[in-house]
Amino acid sequence: MSWEIEHQHVDLAEMMHVTTFVERGVKNRNGEPARHLLQIRLGDGLALTPEGTLLDGEGNHFDVVAKQQELLAGLNALHANARSFARRHGAQLGAPPKIGR
């Protein structure tokens, strides 16, 4: 399995664009899939235009999709390296048992 974008939304109260990534084949101790958040604060160093684009502090276009893809690649590489580490050291993959069991 690999990481994928589960969903994204704009939180107006926090002024953030939030992307939730999920790797469904990796479960935490509660049996939920592994998740990671990318939070891009709108307005702090990133200007919003009336057309809905983001500009960085130098006036350059900030590409949210490129940032998402960069993070996806990084998450997949990190898990691939961790799997290699586990194989090399004979460690079992998976979360520890749920507390209280």
Side-chain angles (χ1 to χ4, degrees):
M1 301 270 324
S2 63
W3 286 92
E4 62 188 74
I5 294 175
E6 185 175 40
H7 91 281
Q8 58 184 313
H9 68 278
V10 173
D11 182 335
L12 290 176
E14 299 291 333
M15 286 306 292
M16 258 190 236
H17 177 272
V18 180
T19 306
T20 304
F21 298 88
V22 63
E23 186 176 326
R24 298 180 198 286
V26 176
K27 306 291 183 191
N28 66 21
R29 70 176 63 214
N30 294 323
E32 294 291 321
R35 287 192 169 80
H36 185 86
L37 296 179
L38 169 62
Q39 297 173 311
I40 300 171
R41 184 163 295 281
L42 307 173
D44 283 353
L46 294 174
L48 284 166
T49 68
E51 295 79 27
T53 59
L54 283 174
L55 303 176
D56 65 18
E58 299 171 359
N60 299 314
H61 173 73
F62 183 87
D63 190 342
V64 173
V65 174
K67 187 69 173 172
Q68 290 170 329
Q69 294 305 308
E70 177 186 321
L71 186 53
L72 268 176
L75 289 168
N76 283 317
L78 184 61
H79 271 205
N81 292 348
R83 286 180 174 98
S84 294
F85 176 86
R87 279 192 302 275
R88 179 181 181 121
H89 296 280
Q92 184 176 353
L93 286 174
K98 187 174 180 177
I99 296 172
R101 282 192 174 178

